[in-house]
Amino acid sequence: MRLIKLDAIGSTNDYLKDLAKAENLSEFTIVTAETQTAGRGQRGATWIVEPGKNLTMSVFVKVQMSETTQLFALNAAVALTILEVLKTFGIPELSLKWPNDIMSGRTKVGGILIENSVKTDNSVASVIGIGLNVNQTDFEGLPNASSLALVSGVFFEKDEICIHIASALEKRLEVFEKTSQKIWSDYQQNLFRKGKPTLFQDLSGDKFMGIIANATKEGLLEIKLGDDSIKSFGIKEVTMLY
């Protein structure tokens, strides 16, 4: 495990991708930054953190997959690993908001952005970007955002959380192929608001009530509508309003 600690960078994911192009990068190379000026979220949204207060990290991994449909299973494996680690730090009411936001109660405390490069032999080189709101306490104008400190009443050492996540992720990915079915069932069980009536908004701006029925292995969200029909949505096609 190689750890590169930076003071300020545009994006840890971009830095790690450029590094992978420039050298034969060893697996589980980790980049962290105290300040990230061009962080990105899953839907292309900008992710800005208060300098020095939060954990911004990217991890380079290589995973062998029997089929590329397992790409979303990799997302699920990473998300579940973070939940597993945060539970050991006493973070309450953890769940996963589709596709890969980390929730504590009804507030978001982190998120994941994975960028994959698929090879012809179905091996995948991935840069796993993880952002966790750790010790930040001011989220003015962001009513659904929170931090580990706010939800637990405890301030944390960011480096300790980083190393725990990296170690747990390494162990989980060692058995990724053998445990993909369990990963999938665990992801379903931890889905935020699964089975509960929820307000959504589609791309046209129309709002509708529905119930999360399932998240497919391809990464689609299946929502049960008022007429009992099931409709599937891609990552950028629907927003949960909660």
Side-chain angles (χ1 to χ4, degrees):
M1 190 181 295
R2 173 188 176 193
L3 177 60
I4 302 170
K5 300 178 71 173
L6 304 173
D7 182 30
I9 194 70
S11 161
T12 54
N13 265 28
D14 288 347
Y15 181 92
L16 199 48
K17 285 190 296 181
D18 290 342
L19 194 62
K21 293 175 184 176
E23 62 180 81
N24 185 18
L25 204 58
S26 59
E27 199 170 358
F28 283 93
T29 295
I30 304 165
V31 175
T32 66
E34 290 297 302
T35 303
Q36 184 173 243
T37 59
R40 301 186 305 281
Q42 180 62 242
R43 299 167 190 260
T46 302
W47 187 66
I48 300 175
V49 299
E50 194 174 323
K53 297 289 184 70
N54 303 312
L55 176 60
T56 305
M57 63 183 289
S58 295
V59 187
F60 178 76
V61 302
K62 295 178 182 177
V63 182
Q64 188 67 40
M65 297 185 179
S66 57
E67 51 188 23
T68 55
T69 54
Q70 288 183 299
L71 283 173
F72 193 74
L74 176 60
N75 277 33
V78 174
L80 288 167
T81 299
I82 295 172
L83 252 61
E84 173 188 301
V85 170
L86 293 184
K87 284 178 183 176
T88 69
F89 283 92
I91 307 304
E93 299 182 72
L94 288 163
S95 63
L96 302 171
K97 179 173 167 285
W98 176 86
N100 44 25
D101 285 345
I102 310 300
M103 307 292 291
S104 176
R106 293 178 62 86
T107 58
K108 177 180 175 179
V109 295
I112 303 161
L113 176 65
I114 302 179
E115 298 179 86
N116 300 301
S117 176
V118 182
K119 311 301 181 182
T120 54
D121 62 352
N122 275 356
S123 64
V124 179
S126 299
V127 173
I128 300 170
I130 300 169
L132 285 176
N133 300 329
V134 180
N135 294 322
Q136 186 169 331
T137 56
D138 183 9
F139 293 94
E140 185 177 354
L142 298 170
N144 294 330
S146 191
S147 67
L148 306 187
L150 285 175
V151 300
S152 69
V154 177
F155 287 91
F156 297 92
E157 289 291 335
K158 303 191 304 294
D159 287 351
E160 184 181 3
I161 296 174
C162 173
I163 295 303
H164 274 75
I165 289 174
S167 298
L169 185 59
E170 187 170 11
K171 291 178 182 177
R172 186 180 286 271
L173 294 187
E174 283 175 355
V175 293
F176 176 75
E177 282 275 7
K178 296 178 182 178
T179 59
S180 59
Q181 191 57 46
K182 185 177 188 314
I183 287 170
W184 195 245
S185 62
D186 287 349
Y187 181 84
Q188 300 286 348
Q189 290 174 15
N190 284 281
L191 266 180
F192 177 67
R193 296 201 62 78
K194 183 178 182 182
K196 299 178 180 179
T198 302
L199 183 63
F200 296 91
Q201 182 172 298
D202 62 22
L203 281 177
S204 64
D206 293 334
K207 297 178 182 179
F208 63 95
M209 291 297 296
I211 296 175
I212 294 175
N214 185 42
T216 73
K217 292 183 178 181
E218 293 75 28
L220 301 176
L221 187 68
E222 293 184 340
I223 300 175
K224 184 178 181 181
L225 304 178
D227 60 1
D228 287 339
S229 65
I230 301 290
K231 186 172 182 179
S232 298
F233 294 88
I235 289 174
K236 296 182 179 181
E237 295 176 346
V238 68
T239 301
M240 186 186 303
L241 306 176
Y242 63 98

